[in-house]
Amino acid sequence: MADDTDPADEPDTAAAVGHDLEAERTTAPMSEFTAREAGIGFVIVLIGVAIAFGVPLIAVAP
């Protein structure tokens, strides 16, 4: 027989994933970062854009 329990009814204990319930909650976008890390991310974006648009343009060029 199928399990009829609703996961929303279970308590959010964080014990299953090992999180500390007393610690302040943070998420990645809220984490601090340095100007160097932002610069590295910008360079990676430029490389990705160059690959995404540059390679097809080169392939189509006569």
Side-chain angles (χ1 to χ4, degrees):
M1 188 166 169
D3 185 15
D4 294 333
T5 59
D6 185 6
D9 293 336
E10 296 179 14
D12 184 19
T13 63
V17 292
H19 293 169
D20 183 10
L21 291 175
E22 302 302 320
E24 182 180 341
R25 182 178 175 189
T26 60
T27 59
M30 295 170 48
S31 300
E32 295 182 14
F33 56 89
T34 64
R36 179 179 182 272
E37 292 169 331
I40 292 171
F42 185 71
V43 169
I44 291 171
V45 166
L46 289 178
I47 292 169
V49 168
I51 291 171
F53 291 101
V55 172
L57 286 175
I58 292 170
V60 174

